[in-house]
Structures are given as C-alpha cells and as structure tokens.
Amino acid sequence: MTEKITPKREKLLANLRVQRYTPGKDRVPYFDNFKMDVETGMTVLEALRYIKDTQDGSLTFRAFCRSAICGSCTVVVNGNPVLACSTQLMPILKDFGKASVTITPLQRLPILRDLVVDIDPVIEKLAKMHPYLMENRDRIPETLEQESLMSQKEMAEFNYITDCILCSACFSACSTVKVDDNYAGPLTIAKAYRFSVDARDSFRGMRIQAAMDQGLWSCVQCRKCINVCPKDTRPADSIRHMRRIAIDDGIHDTPGSRRAKAYTDDVEKIGQVNKPMLPVVVHATKGWAAIEEAEAALAKHGLEPTRKVCTLPGQEGAAKIYAKVREIEKQNKEKA
Amino acid sequence: MLTYDVLIVGSGGAGLYAALKSRMEEDLQVAVLTKVYPTRSHTSAAQGGVNAALGNKDATDTWQDHWFDTVKGSDYLADQDAAELMCREAPEVIREMEHWGCPFDRTEDGKIAQRPFGGASKIRACYAADKIGHVMLHTLYEQGIRHGVNYFNEWMTLSLLHDGQRCLGVNALDIRSGKLHTIQAKAVILATGGYGRVYWNRTSNAYGNTGDGVALAYRAGLPLKDIEFVQFHPTGLRRTGILMSEGARGEGGYLLNALGERFMDRYAPEKMELGPRDLVSRAIETEVREGRGGPDGEVFLDVVHLGKERILERLPQIRELCCAFEGVDPLKEPIPIKPTAHYSMGGISTDINGLTPIEGVYAAGESGCVSVHGANRLGGNSLLDILVFGRRAGNHATEYARHTDIQPMHQNPLEPAETCIKALMDGDSEETIADIRRDLGNLMSKKAGIYRNAVDLTEGQAGLAELKARYKRLKIKDKSPIFNTELTTALELGNLLDLAEIVVEGALVRQESRGSHYREDFPQRNDEDWLVHTVALIGSDEHPVLHFEPVKITQFQPEARTY
Amino acid sequence: MTEQQQYNDGKLHYAFYSGCCFQGTDARFFDILQQVFDKVDVELHLIPDAVCCGAGVIEERSELTSLSINARNMAGAEKMGLPFYTPCSTCFNVISNVQKQLGEDAKLFDQVNDILAEDGIEYKGDCKLTHTLWMLAQDVGLSKLSERITNPLNGIRVASYYGCHTRNPADIQQYESSQNPTSLEDILKVLGVEIVDYETRDDCCGYHINWPNNQLAQKMTGSVLQGAHKQNVDLMVTSCPLCFKNLDGVQPKALAAAGQDFQLPVLFLPELVGLACGMSSSDMKLDFHSVPVNVRL
C-alpha cells in the first residue's frame, strides 16, 4: 500500500546577498554576500542559519518556531516579503533564473540590526484599533458558568482572520504604508474588522472610528497584501468589508463612503459610474476645481464637455438585479 | 532600579494569563519580560486542543473522568491533588477564554466544540481547527493590550535573585541594546516554557525553547522535579521534527509502517492510533528497530482516506506544513514521520499555587512541575496546565505582593550576569556554538532518547562532561552589543547543557520504566521503589544532586496502564 | 470553454467588455483599440448590455450586487460563445475574482443564478477571461505580432509598467507568474524597444485612491515616475488604462507636488502596438495626452 519514498535531491552553488547593518559600526546598510550549496528542500531560514553557524556568527535575524506560526522570521526575498522558515530557496533560484538571491529586512520599519526591524510601530497602530473583544453583555454571560453561544455561521464571519500571525509582511508590501506614515496598515484594519463582526463584541463603533482615523479609505486596493500573506487572510478583502460595515452603520459623510455610494447608485441608475461628476460628489464644493480643469482639457481638444454620461443598455437589467438583491438583504436582516 | 510588584518572565499562555490576572488588580505594577514578542511564544504552535469536561460533545463527561484519565495517563506519577484541581478548574478557564473572545470551533447548537484525543476516555478536547494554541495566545495578548499589561519585549532573563528566603528580582539583558539590568520585584513568576531543545535536531520545539527559566532557577538553588521525563510526540515531520498534531489521528488518520500495516494493533489494540503518546512513540521506535521502518527510519501518517474536503476543513495547517517543510502533500501521499521530543514534563518544583520554596518565586506552565503530568502528559492538558496554573500563580503572587514590602537587593546584583557574559566574550578557542549544539542533540537522542539503558546513559554523562568543557572555551566573535544573537544563543546553549545533565542523571538513577521514561534494562514499572518524584538541586560542584519525594496519592491507586 | 466556431475567418474574436475607463478624452480608445487589433487579426464584439463592474467599490455596499452584476456581464459573453476580453486591469481583476468566488461556492453560485433568472439570464461560469497582455502575448502570439510590425521602434528606451491589478492577488489569473510576469516585456521586445529596469516597476500608481485622496495618489504616481526617470528612459508604457490615466493625466500635478520638473511621456500599450504596426501619431491621437509625447514613434 505504501511506497518507499525516494526524494530527488539537487544541489546548486548559490550566492546569497544579505543586507547588513550594525548601528554604531556601519554608517549605512550594505550588502554582504555568502556562497553556499543550496539543496532541494532547503528554506531561506535554513540557509541563513547555515551561514550564521558556519560562515559568520554575527549575521542577525529573528527566528523562533520555524513552522510558520509565530511570525518572527519575515524578511524580504528578491523584493517579496515572505516567512523565511517556510520559503523554499531552490524554486526562487530557478524562477528568477540566476544563482543569486537578495535578502533584505522588512520595509517601512526602522532597522535594528541586519535583518531585524523594529515592529513596535505596527503594534502601536494595532493597539489603536482596540484589537480585543469588548464583551457584549447580551451575548456573554456575567459568570463563568456557561460559555456564550455562537453559531457556526457567526464564526465564519471572521474566523479566517484569526489565522493572522502578525508577521507584518502585508505592512511591508503595502502601497499606502509606503507613502503615508499615518496609515494603519492592512493587518490592523483586518483585526479591527475581525472584532467588529464578532457577535460577542460591543465596540464596533469605536473601532470604525479608529480605523477611519488611521486611513480606512486610504487603502488603494492594490491587493499586494493578499499576495504576500503567508496565512491567506486576505487583508484587502477585510478592508473592503470594514468600509461596508462603516457605511452600514451610518458613516455617509466621508469622501470614501460618498464614493462607494456614488459608484453603487450610478451603476443602478445609468449602468456606469458618472466619472465627470465624481469629484463634486466625493468632495462637495471643493470638487468643482477638478471638474472645471477636466472640462477645460476636453475643450482644448474640441470636445464638448458634458456632465452627464450616457445610460448603458445594460442598466435596466442591472436595476432588476439591485432590486432583487435589496429584497434578499432585507429578508436576511429580518431573519437575523 | 526598575521595580515591579509582580514580574513575569515568559510570555506564553501561562505568563500572559498570570499577567492579565495581576494587571486587572489595578493597584499593582506588573510587567512581563520576554525574550521574543508575546505572540511569538511557543504556545502558538499547539495545534490539537485543550481539555475540559464541558460535556458539550459527550454529556456524560465529568471532571472526575478527566482527573482519572490525567492520573492514569501520567502513569500514576502525577500528584493527584494537583491533577484534581486542574481538571476541576478546567471548564472555568476555558469559559473565561471564550468570554475573552477566543474563537473556539462550535457545535451545531453553538457550544464550544470538542473532539477525541489520545488517552482520553471521553470526548473533551476543545479546539479551533488545528490552531488552538495560536488563537489562545492571541486572545491573551489582545486582552493584555486592553488592560495595559507592560511588556519588555526581547529582554532575556539571566539570573534569579533571592536572599535564600524571599524573592528579590532578576537580572535581564535588553537584547536590543545589549545593556544589562537588575529588576527588583516582590514576586517573580517563571513561565519560560520547556527544554525540548536538549534534543537539538529532533524536537518540535522552537529554537528558543531552551529551558531558560528552569536553568536559572536551578542555578539559583531552587529544586527541579522529574526532569528526566521528556515526552516524545509520535508524529513529527521526518526532516525537521515539526509537529504533526495529534488531531490528525483524532480525525481518523492511520499510522503505517513501511509494510503498510496499522501496527498500533500490536501495542494498543483498543485505542489504536489514539493510545497515549509515550506508548505510540515507543511503538514507532520498536517498529523501526525491528526493521519495519522506511528508508530514513521513519513510519507514515496516512490521512489520504479522510478525503479532500475533511482535510481542508479540519487539518488545513497540517497540510501546509507538510507541503512547505517536507515536500509532501497529505491529500495524495502518506506523511513520513518520526517521534520528536515535544514536551518537558519536568520543571521547577512548585506547589499547587505555583509557589517554589522561595517566597515570592513562582513557576507556571511547562517550566513548572506541580506535578500534574507525572511521567507522561495527555494531549490537550498542556494548554490547560498553562491556563490553570498561570492563573493560580498570578492570583497567588498578586496577593503575596500586596502584603509584602520590597526586600533590600544584594550588593552588586549584576555581577554574576556580567561575569557570565564576559567569560563567553573572552573564550579562547575555535569552538562554535553550532558544533557543540549539534553534538549535544546527537548525544541526547542516542544516549538518553526514547529508549534508555545504563550503558548508554553513562556514556551520555561522559559525553556531556566533555561538551561542558568545550562550552567553557567557547568564544563569541560578534562583539557588537546591539541585538547580539550569537551571545543569546550561547547563553541558551549553556542552559541546555545544565538541563541535559539533569535529564541524564535522572534517567540513570530511575531504574524502572514509567510513562515517557523507558529503560530497556528495567522495562517494568516499579511502584514499590519508584513511585516518587526525582528532585534535583545544584550541588557545590555544580553537578546535580538528586533526592526523592513521594507522589501524592489521594483517590486513584496505581494500576497497570493499558489502553 | 467557449469556442470560436461560428467565425471561420482566421481571426480571433472576443466578447469585448470595455469597462467605464474610456470616458471623456479617453473615449477615443474605443475606435483606436479596434484599429490596433485589426492589425493583428483580432475582432472585438461589444457585449451588448454590459454594465460597469463596480471596480470592487460596490462591494463596500453590497457584495451580492457586485457578484450578480458581474456574473451578468460574463453571462453576456457566454451567450455570445466568445472569450471575454477587457482592456481594463481592474475590470479583469474584479470579474476574475467573481468567477473564482462563484466557482468555489456552490451556494453562492445558485443564489446568483436565481437572481439572474428573473431576467432570463443564466450564468455558467465557464467563459475564458483575458486581458490585453495575454491576448497579445499568448492568443495572438509573439510571432504573429512580430510579422505585423512595419515600424520597429528600435533604440527607444522604455520603462514597462504593469500596474497592480493584473498581478495581485496571484490567484486571479493562470497565464503567468504574478511575482515575475514577463508578458508585457515580451510584447515590448517584439516591438523592438529597449527595456530598461527601474526600481519602482512593481509599485502602485494609486489610481483608485484619487477620489477620495488625491494627495496620496499623486505621491504614488510621482514616485513611480521618478523611479523610471532615474534610469533615463524615453517612454513609459503601461498595460493598464487606469494607470495610464494617472501616469499621464496626473503626472503634471504629481511631479509638481514632488518638486520635480521633468516630463516623461507615457503610452498605453495598445497605442505603442498600433504605432509599431504602422499607425501614425495622428491616427493614435497622441496629442490628447496630458504629457506631450515628444518621441518620434
């Protein structure tokens, strides 16, 4: 029934370029390079440990569980944030077509030494989101005689987000973190959402406010975070969900929520987004400058500026869908 | 000098629970020292479940059943009053975790879901897919943020300070800056986890599970208990020792030798794959010794027959581990596994409140030994242990700190830590940490592993002596004080060497087989002579001196342990 | 999978989903696209009653609505029996995601079909989804493309830019590696240009954050442009029409905000393909660009 397993093992002499920096000793970070035999099955972490054990004991990096659950060992390999302990080296060498790999620390965070960065900024942003359950006494009993009851469906609302190991790969990859220091980063908003839709929680409004204060609508939805998350928690999806519950709860006055409403209503009414009018829908009176500019550009090319866009033929069908969905959502609300 | 009422060393489940309980008492200053960040702690790696007689899956389950299972599973070495307490308090701590938001899986009627586990007579392991430890740890950390627990992250504790009677505090290294600090504290709770890394290359433990708290308690003159009892988990991945959760067997996986036989039939015909861990580990080792293992001395865990949907729903993490670390997809082929050193039953000797013989010094979790697990721990009881005794130690330390004053500190308290570090920095040889560590792991696996005998153990003693001598000549080449991981790993190695010696001594002295300790030359359990705890104290020559203490038997008279 | 059996003319036919990106001055692209694809024997057939995909923003109000209207869009192509082509990267991303979600969740699939059934529409979920990149690089093929080049653009230094939505997340397309894609460079190489690597190639241009946050969008766009400019390129070419809008349309503001005073002409991939296949700059209406295209192409 079982077959003897005889794995095929390859070896490749590779060059590992690793960013080094020791404060007090080095003025700026620089690249060191280490030659070593990379075997099939070897992870980036194994390679780093091999170098530390046999070539340079001062090579500094974080590692703990080496089984992809503690989140310590995130580094950037050839520009991608990954968990060193669960990233196979051989496929990378082959995919990029050269026997060399570049390993750098997580981005957007201060470097403490070599590949070790200070993750306190992430923790601080996380803490601002109230990332903990605040008991809803309608659901959670006062005494410890019973657990609170929760349906499997209620669990499914947020359970996948509890896979997050705070590795900060998403933070490092995030396009908005790159340009905005005030932005909370994907994992923190995802955590805010996780608790906000936990049926046992009572602090949703505060978290929505906290998320908005830290840039809930600054996420550009580039979806890099989904790509790099080693636990498949899909932070960008959680960010959209967080926006949705914010709007559901009545946040209608921010540019972001206005945009969401505009897109949604426009497609129902005319089948497409009324882009020419979008600036004023989103930014009220401040939006006119942009509209006038765009109209001037059109006039320059002899095009007639218009603030109306044509209704697409599919609009009627779309409107029917909207009506039907409204019905369904109403029923769901009544059931709950 | 930094001063705290309660200082907790270690940020796993036990440490964080203790910290939460203490911090909620707002009149006290509480801090946690941890050499990693809290959510990195090894509690996060626990996969299968946490036991409590909630009766959600099997309404006939009681804490008394759980108590008996625990005592029997311990091969009757557990102190029965401690085990009783743990099983009794289990439902409460689980519910407290749930109230704090822990995302347990649910039954159809919305209660905490439970599943079968090895050695359990009834279904009582509460679970969250295969990541119960991870979600528990995060829940405790999150509530810690809520209640303002103070964390000293990446601070490694080097010495425990006391005046022979009462707690004074600790010395710790701030890894980031390389500065040493003395911290005064009325109470210290050591919760630094286990010492499975003495089996360096054949363990499921994290790199940092080097028994720091246990070693520093030992060196401070505190008694350690039952150190020779190290549980080997039967199913660790062949190449790395990474754990394949017992949950895989709980869901219905088969253990097969290279001939395709479900060999557990020979060793535990009733419970089969769900026999207790020590039994299964020995069964596997026997199969391999008798030539029925695979080409690398492994056997196989087969879940293919469970089908894609069930595996993806119930065991997703296990599947990822196999693919990432072994290159094997459990949907398609059986997983190659070997027994892996998994849990340290032994630890710092404490009473049922986690208190050691020094007032104000406590230990909880895997680094403590009350003892609730005796000679062998049941799956699902470790997570319970850390919750119950983390809580108890936290409560007791809080009360104690309220009614105590700060004691005057030694003169020059940093001196032992400074000396130790200087010795490492100034070593004179070309010895490397990696060489000594690897040799330690190989020595322990061969001479003091799953099967033990007097000849091997004696050779083990000699081998360790040599390793210790080599260690003394170790030189740290990295001279920077900033985040010096060469230094921290050298310090960890020192702790491992101290504890390895006690493992070997205890194993040599205990001339019987019980639980996870198996002597080929004394294969029977011997209650008449050996129903005792092995207690180790550091001798004047820095070698362990052993004496014995009776086991507390209250309810269950020792019987043969068959499943 | 749909087949192109009904047309037996040696051309490739696609159900064309334009999205809403070609509004205002960009409306010229409707004609331009068809002319460009004519050069490589591709014919586009507009899906008759498509609607805007919602760009993922509709999901911030109602996920079910987003799923349903996009299932409807795909059903349109399925009815035509043609593969679904869109030039817009975001539309591709959103619709591909919908196809994937509905493919993985049988209950959701049924629910969406119930909603569509009211209008007599059935969504099967089996149409092939593609984008300019893979339509050119794989369906048309690099050798056919090279045969049609009459004006090789040799010597021109080009920075190639994918944007984010044909790459992230990795599971929305099976055509190539998302970490290390090559389709754009493969196409550009055939056109004869010299491809220059630059450090901001994988960064986001920030289009989708223009409304609500103009400032951040300008920062992101400015950063991408500066990275390319550092390498002394003549042109930047992007396969995404929305990135094009930012990199070209927002360029003056973005660079001004960053205190930079260079100009970097930006082309939308079909424009460069058309030019290489013999179309003229006036055919291409290059003077509609915000940043003058002062390179002889």
Side-chain angles (χ1 to χ4, degrees):
Chain A
M1 206 218 87
T2 58
E3 288 150 25
K4 300 256 165 164
I5 299 173
T6 32
K8 257 209 280 196
R9 291 267 156 87
E10 286 176 82
K11 249 194 217 187
L12 194 63
L13 181 63
N15 180 33
L16 265 65
R17 292 175 72 233
V18 183
Q19 185 175 303
R20 309 293 304 271
Y21 172 64
T22 300
K25 176 162 129 351
D26 303 315
R27 202 172 49 86
V28 289
Y30 66 96
F31 276 97
D32 205 342
N33 65 307
F34 301 99
K35 277 201 170 38
M36 58 174 286
D37 274 326
V38 171
E39 291 177 7
T40 308
M42 186 177 256
T43 61
V44 171
L45 181 59
E46 281 178 54
L48 289 172
R49 289 185 67 85
Y50 177 81
I51 294 169
K52 189 180 177 72
D53 285 347
T54 61
Q55 294 187 31
D56 183 350
S58 69
L59 180 61
T60 306
F61 50 89
R62 284 198 180 107
F64 197 66
C65 75
R66 60 96 173 77
S67 54
I69 191 63
C70 75
S72 306
C73 62
T74 335
V75 289
V76 173
V77 176
N78 284 354
N80 283 307
V82 295
L83 291 181
C85 69
S86 61
T87 301
Q88 295 283 314
L89 248 188
M90 190 70 90
I92 294 178
L93 291 170
K94 292 190 168 163
D95 193 33
F96 278 83
K98 30 187 183 156
S100 171
V101 131
T102 300
I103 303 174
T104 46
L106 282 180
Q107 290 165 309
R108 333 282 175 239
L109 293 167
I111 301 177
L112 294 177
R113 187 171 177 194
D114 290 354
L115 298 171
V116 175
V117 298
D118 184 4
I119 62 168
D120 286 343
V122 181
I123 308 277
E124 279 157 25
K125 288 177 197 272
L126 175 64
K128 287 202 193 127
M129 295 291 192
H130 310 292
Y132 38 77
L133 193 78
M134 290 289 274
E135 48 283 311
N136 172 357
R137 282 295 169 203
D138 287 340
R139 291 297 296 252
I140 298 190
E142 289 273 358
T143 65
L144 295 178
E145 277 163 47
Q146 280 304 317
E147 67 256 47
S148 77
L149 295 178
M150 206 167 160
S151 72
Q152 291 171 350
K153 189 157 174 268
E154 287 174 324
M155 280 293 292
E157 288 290 316
F158 64 86
N159 207 4
Y160 63 97
I161 307 178
T162 63
D163 284 346
C164 172
I165 57 177
L166 304 180
C167 73
S168 304
C170 60
F171 192 87
S172 175
C174 176
S175 301
T176 303
V177 166
K178 187 173 183 196
V179 293
D180 183 359
D181 285 331
N182 188 42
Y183 180 57
L187 68 92
T188 69
I189 300 180
K191 276 283 183 184
Y193 177 68
R194 170 256 180 277
F195 284 104
S196 299
V197 294
D198 186 326
R200 304 166 289 184
D201 178 72
S202 66
F203 224 49
R204 175 154 141 163
M206 295 294 285
R207 285 199 208 88
I208 290 175
Q209 185 63 55
M212 286 185 352
D213 289 342
Q214 292 200 96
L216 176 59
W217 266 286
S218 297
C219 160
V220 72
Q221 288 286 308
C222 69
R223 284 129 204 223
K224 286 184 176 164
C225 54
I226 301 184
N227 252 356
V228 302
C229 177
K231 291 298 182 183
D232 202 25
T233 65
R234 306 183 81 95
D237 290 356
S238 295
I239 294 173
R240 288 200 307 277
H241 298 328
M242 190 68 176
R243 292 174 176 176
R244 191 189 70 240
I245 65 172
I247 297 174
D248 282 349
D249 278 7
I251 306 291
H252 292 182
D253 60 331
T254 64
S257 48
R258 284 200 174 115
R259 177 185 71 164
K261 289 191 77 188
Y263 272 51
T264 312
D265 294 345
D266 283 354
V267 173
E268 181 176 14
K269 295 199 188 91
I270 55 181
Q272 60 174 327
V273 177
N274 187 348
K275 291 253 174 94
M277 286 302 280
L278 203 54
V280 107
V281 168
V282 167
H283 287 302
T285 52
K286 292 201 199 121
W288 282 115
I291 291 182
E292 279 164 3
E293 223 181 273
E295 294 184 339
L298 282 178
K300 199 174 69 167
H301 290 289
L303 288 173
E304 198 55 46
T306 173
R307 292 173 187 178
K308 276 180 83 162
V309 293
C310 60
T311 302
L312 294 188
Q315 178 270 329
E316 253 183 64
K320 288 197 190 126
I321 291 176
Y322 271 76
K324 183 78 181 145
V325 170
R326 250 183 233 116
E327 228 180 85
I328 294 174
E329 284 174 351
K330 188 157 169 251
Q331 284 171 9
N332 287 342
K333 254 210 180 131
E334 285 164 3
K335 261 193 245 161
Chain B
M1 212 179 292
L2 297 168
T3 308
Y4 283 94
D5 292 299
V6 180
L7 188 65
I8 295 154
V9 180
S11 60
L16 291 186
Y17 209 143
L20 253 185
K21 282 298 178 180
S22 317
R23 180 65 185 100
M24 286 176 179
E25 311 296 325
E26 289 159 44
D27 54 327
L28 298 177
Q29 297 291 326
V30 177
V32 175
L33 290 184
T34 167
K35 72 178 180 185
V36 290
Y37 273 75
T39 56
R40 314 304 186 207
S41 305
H42 205 49
T43 306
S44 65
Q47 295 178 348
V50 52
N51 294 335
L54 298 176
N56 290 345
K57 196 68 196 265
D58 179 348
T60 69
D61 192 20
T62 62
W63 65 263
Q64 290 93 330
D65 290 322
H66 186 187
W67 182 21
F68 174 68
D69 288 343
T70 300
V71 171
K72 175 178 171 185
S74 76
D75 223 349
Y76 294 91
L77 201 70
D79 291 311
Q80 296 184 11
D81 57 337
E84 175 183 354
L85 198 147
M86 184 178 80
C87 297
R88 225 197 192 127
E89 293 190 1
E92 207 178 275
V93 292
I94 298 299
R95 290 181 192 131
E96 185 156 46
M97 290 296 292
E98 192 277 321
H99 286 195
W100 282 340
C102 190
F104 289 101
D105 274 19
R106 301 284 171 157
T107 61
E108 302 252 310
D109 43 342
K111 296 192 182 170
I112 295 175
Q114 297 179 288
R115 67 171 155 211
F117 230 130
S121 58
K122 306 254 172 90
I123 297 177
R124 67 170 76 96
C126 310
Y127 64 96
D130 54 359
K131 48 180 190 165
I132 181 64
H134 162 79
V135 297
M136 269 178 46
L137 184 63
H138 278 249
T139 302
L140 288 168
Y141 177 62
E142 287 152 8
Q143 292 291 316
I145 294 178
R146 173 180 171 185
H147 292 283
V149 170
N150 299 311
Y151 298 105
F152 284 88
N153 295 318
E154 297 182 321
W155 281 55
M156 183 174 177
T157 307
L158 302 181
S159 351
L160 176 66
L161 304 168
H162 63 86
D163 64 6
Q165 243 197 322
R166 310 175 85 161
C167 175
L168 296 180
V170 301
N171 284 331
L173 170 72
D174 173 4
I175 299 177
R176 277 195 198 185
S177 65
K179 283 183 69 179
L180 286 171
H181 295 263
T182 300
I183 307 176
Q184 269 188 314
K186 295 180 187 171
V188 168
I189 305 178
L190 296 168
T192 58
Y195 47 89
R197 277 282 165 182
V198 296
Y199 299 92
W200 184 259
N201 272 324
R202 232 182 136 188
T203 173
S204 63
N205 282 193
Y207 291 122
N209 290 142
T210 48
D212 293 357
V214 182
L216 55 95
Y218 171 68
R219 286 195 292 267
L222 268 63
L224 305 183
K225 204 151 72 185
D226 295 340
I227 297 289
E228 66 269 29
F229 292 101
V230 175
Q231 185 182 72
F232 280 76
H233 191 290
T235 52
L237 280 178
R238 173 181 61 104
R239 276 188 61 215
T240 51
I242 289 175
L243 191 69
M244 288 291 99
S245 156
E246 191 151 348
R249 285 175 284 140
E251 291 293 333
Y254 299 151
L255 280 174
L256 308 173
N257 60 23
L259 304 171
E261 301 169 329
R262 271 180 86 184
F263 56 84
M264 286 308 297
D265 203 30
R266 266 179 229 130
Y267 308 91
E270 222 184 86
K271 281 263 158 184
M272 290 295 278
E273 280 84 3
L274 292 181
R277 293 172 176 187
D278 54 328
L279 219 118
V280 179
S281 297
R282 276 199 302 278
I284 295 174
E285 202 81 341
T286 307
E287 290 294 304
V288 173
R289 278 187 169 197
E290 293 181 3
R292 293 185 290 275
D296 196 13
E298 75 273 39
V299 295
F300 302 92
L301 174 59
D302 192 356
V303 295
V304 173
H305 58 279
L306 297 182
K308 181 172 175 181
E309 219 178 270
R310 187 123 167 250
I311 295 176
L312 290 181
E313 192 198 308
R314 295 285 185 85
L315 306 170
Q317 224 190 5
I318 286 179
R319 175 162 182 256
E320 277 167 35
L321 282 178
C322 289
C323 290
F325 302 104
E326 192 68 43
V328 159
D329 188 348
L331 288 176
K332 302 192 187 120
E333 42 182 318
I335 310 162
I337 51 126
K338 290 183 180 182
T340 188
H342 177 57
Y343 185 79
S344 318
M345 268 74 71
I348 303 167
S349 181
T350 74
D351 67 8
I352 54 171
N353 289 311
L355 185 58
T356 68
I358 303 286
E359 271 178 56
V361 176
Y362 298 78
E366 196 172 346
S367 53
C369 184
V370 189
S371 155
V372 284
H373 309 301
N376 174 61
R377 172 180 74 76
L378 286 190
N381 267 1
S382 172
L383 288 176
L384 179 59
D385 171 8
I386 66 182
L387 293 180
V388 170
F389 292 100
R391 189 169 82 148
R392 288 185 81 84
N395 285 337
H396 207 265
T398 302
E399 264 318 293
Y400 172 76
R402 267 205 190 105
H403 301 111
T404 317
D405 296 317
I406 287 276
Q407 300 300 305
M409 180 55 82
H410 297 322
Q411 288 284 26
N412 211 358
L414 270 181
E415 202 256 328
E418 287 166 337
T419 314
C420 168
I421 291 180
K422 191 164 187 303
L424 283 168
M425 288 299 196
D426 293 349
D428 62 4
S429 75
E430 291 306 304
E431 287 286 358
T432 66
I433 297 171
D435 287 337
I436 300 176
R437 212 167 49 187
R438 179 199 57 230
D439 293 346
L440 170 66
N442 289 338
L443 183 74
M444 290 300 286
S445 294
K446 287 208 184 81
K447 306 295 179 187
I450 293 176
Y451 281 103
R452 299 162 172 180
N453 60 64
V455 172
D456 282 345
L457 289 166
T458 314
E459 286 172 11
Q461 280 179 315
L464 278 174
E466 197 197 312
L467 287 172
K468 281 191 154 184
R470 287 168 63 189
Y471 178 77
K472 282 209 165 67
R473 295 181 351 246
L474 190 63
K475 179 170 79 177
I476 306 286
K477 297 206 183 90
D478 180 3
K479 301 301 183 196
S480 169
I482 312 276
F483 222 102
N484 190 332
T485 48
E486 197 181 352
L487 173 62
T488 56
T489 49
L491 292 166
E492 289 170 342
L493 180 56
N495 294 336
L496 289 177
L497 287 168
D498 283 342
L499 295 175
E501 187 178 9
I502 308 172
V503 171
V504 170
E505 289 300 320
L508 185 55
V509 150
R510 182 174 285 273
Q511 291 178 333
E512 62 149 5
S513 292
R514 183 186 298 267
S516 66
H517 168 72
Y518 190 83
R519 287 285 297 263
E520 295 179 279
D521 39 1
F522 296 96
Q524 297 306 324
R525 192 177 90 195
N526 179 349
D527 289 338
E528 211 182 290
D529 299 325
W530 287 105
L531 194 56
V532 288
H533 294 297
T534 316
V535 181
L537 285 163
I538 192 166
S540 48
D541 57 353
E542 305 209 338
H543 290 292
V545 175
L546 305 179
H547 68 269
F548 305 97
E549 284 172 11
V551 173
K552 271 226 191 62
I553 313 274
T554 56
Q555 179 91 343
F556 308 108
Q557 285 308 313
E559 295 170 353
R561 199 171 139 247
T562 50
Y563 288 93
Chain C
M1 278 306 217
T2 54
E3 298 292 334
Q4 305 200 19
Q5 295 147 334
Q6 61 268 50
Y7 302 94
N8 224 328
D9 53 2
K11 288 193 184 178
L12 289 176
H13 296 262
Y14 292 90
F16 175 45
Y17 178 82
S18 66
C20 64
C21 50
F22 301 137
Q23 291 182 16
T25 50
D26 293 346
R28 67 187 186 279
F29 281 118
F30 273 110
D31 287 333
I32 290 176
L33 273 182
Q34 188 59 86
Q35 289 170 44
V36 171
F37 291 138
D38 233 1
K39 300 278 180 186
V40 291
D41 297 338
V42 166
E43 201 171 310
L44 303 178
H45 305 264
L46 197 62
I47 298 176
D49 57 354
V51 289
C52 170
C53 71
V57 177
I58 293 188
E59 290 169 42
E60 293 171 21
R61 296 289 276 141
S62 162
E63 281 183 31
L64 190 53
T65 305
S66 171
L67 290 167
S68 306
I69 59 176
N70 285 303
R72 187 175 180 284
N73 287 330
M74 281 188 273
E78 288 170 6
K79 189 147 172 230
M80 293 159 77
L82 293 174
F84 181 110
Y85 160 74
T86 177
C88 173
S89 304
T90 298
C91 297
F92 177 81
N93 194 303
V94 170
I95 292 172
S96 184
N97 202 21
V98 168
Q99 192 184 62
K100 175 172 168 289
Q101 260 196 290
L102 295 179
E104 289 174 354
D105 187 339
K107 266 169 79 191
L108 210 48
F109 183 94
D110 289 339
Q111 187 179 37
V112 165
N113 263 315
D114 281 341
I115 295 172
L116 296 181
E118 304 239 327
D119 217 3
I121 295 179
E122 188 197 347
Y123 166 73
K124 297 205 190 88
D126 60 2
C127 68
K128 172 171 136 148
L129 302 171
T130 190
H131 175 274
T132 314
L133 283 170
W134 309 303
M135 186 242 260
L136 287 176
Q138 296 189 12
D139 295 350
V140 169
L142 298 173
S143 52
K144 182 171 207 175
L145 178 60
S146 117
E147 282 166 25
R148 302 303 164 95
I149 310 281
T150 57
N151 172 25
L153 303 166
N154 295 346
I156 299 187
R157 290 168 59 81
V158 163
S160 63
Y161 185 77
Y162 287 86
C164 296
H165 280 174
T166 46
R167 294 175 67 174
N168 312 318
D171 55 11
I172 47 149
Q173 53 87 10
Q174 311 280 356
Y175 295 105
E176 60 183 338
S177 152
S178 101
Q179 257 188 36
N180 210 10
T182 58
S183 54
L184 180 55
E185 287 81 19
D186 290 342
I187 294 167
L188 290 172
K189 276 194 208 135
V190 167
L191 303 185
V193 303
E194 182 192 331
I195 295 166
V196 179
D197 204 6
Y198 61 104
E199 65 185 14
T200 53
R201 191 189 87 131
D202 298 329
D203 291 352
C204 179
C205 74
Y207 176 82
H208 286 287
I209 209 182
N210 265 317
W211 316 105
N213 191 331
N214 226 256
Q215 241 191 346
L216 286 183
Q218 286 173 13
K219 254 187 166 173
M220 293 186 193
T221 292
S223 166
V224 172
L225 290 166
Q226 286 175 76
H229 176 69
K230 259 200 220 159
Q231 299 303 321
N232 244 315
V233 294
D234 302 320
L235 274 191
M236 183 171 235
V237 178
T238 175
S239 48
C240 171
L242 301 179
C243 300
F244 167 71
K245 274 194 217 268
N246 251 31
L247 295 167
D248 174 61
V250 177
Q251 183 179 136
K253 277 224 169 98
L255 293 182
Q260 300 283 317
D261 66 355
F262 63 88
Q263 279 184 144
L264 179 55
V266 180
L267 259 64
F268 177 38
L269 179 63
E271 288 181 314
L272 203 66
V273 172
L275 290 165
C277 290
M279 289 171 72
S280 69
S281 322
S282 55
D283 289 337
M284 206 51 80
K285 301 206 167 111
L286 287 183
D287 57 329
F288 272 68
H289 282 219
S290 295
V291 177
V293 182
N294 49 14
V295 182
R296 287 174 209 285
L297 295 167

